[in-house]
Amino acid sequence: MTGQAPIARRDGTNRTARLRLRADKRLLVSGEDQLFTFAGTLQVYVTGNPSGAGGYLESPAVPAGEEWGMTNIVAEDETTDLTSVRVCRFSDGVQYCFACTTKAIPKTDRICWNGQEWATGGDTIRVTMIGSLAGDTCHVWITGYKMTKES
């Protein structure tokens, strides 16, 4: 079964979405904009030495065709006190910072960000730990939702 449905925009104009019902009774919607569908729980753990003094840990790249809806990011340096933790998304070579904590951060204290940030295929998440040393043991936990685009 296939049909068309007008969808009102905020500016008062309409756009059209195509509705399809699959054999398994799952509704698919495609059109000018895409809907996201839940694909699983996002659970990324990165541990190791930072990239250097005042360095960073970086997540693996978001797989092609997948979207990450990140809701929690936690960072910890278990070896050295920090002065700042900065969380950024790298997309097409551009850095988009969305969280920063600047204060005295004793070693083993976990810095937590809670919110909503989206990453798309190829993006990475970089957590920079100012005050860290090259040989420190650092940890980053990223949780949220894995989503796929319906077509």
Side-chain angles (χ1 to χ4, degrees):
M1 175 167 139
T2 301
Q4 299 280 330
I7 300 172
R9 291 183 177 178
R10 288 184 187 165
D11 65 7
T13 62
N14 287 328
R15 63 174 178 246
T16 302
R18 187 171 52 129
L19 306 174
R20 292 183 293 152
L21 189 60
R22 291 175 26 156
D24 63 1
K25 305 293 187 212
R26 186 169 165 216
L27 179 66
L28 296 178
V29 179
S30 61
E32 188 174 313
D33 292 322
Q34 294 285 313
L35 292 180
F36 293 96
T37 58
F38 180 78
T41 302
L42 175 65
Q43 300 176 113
V44 174
Y45 174 59
V46 181
T47 187
N49 306 118
S51 61
Y56 60 86
L57 290 182
E58 193 161 26
S59 74
V62 177
E66 191 170 278
E67 307 292 320
W68 286 0
M70 297 168 288
T71 57
N72 300 287
I73 298 177
V74 178
E76 173 191 44
D77 184 327
E78 69 177 52
T79 314
T80 303
D81 296 344
L82 303 175
T83 57
S84 184
V85 173
R86 184 174 55 238
V87 183
C88 303
R89 177 176 50 85
F90 275 78
S91 182
D92 296 325
V94 179
Q95 175 176 275
Y96 300 93
C97 293
F98 59 92
C100 186
T101 298
T102 302
K103 66 177 186 175
I105 305 167
K107 65 182 177 182
T108 71
D109 271 15
R110 293 180 177 175
I111 296 300
C112 304
W113 170 84
N114 307 102
Q116 187 69 48
E117 180 70 20
W118 291 93
T120 192
D123 291 357
T124 60
I125 305 304
R126 181 178 290 183
V127 179
T128 302
M129 298 177 211
I130 307 302
S132 64
L133 301 174
D136 287 1
T137 299
C138 297
H139 311 277
V140 172
W141 296 265
I142 302 170
T143 58
Y145 309 92
K146 291 181 183 178
M147 311 294 278
T148 59
K149 289 183 181 179
E150 287 294 341
S151 55

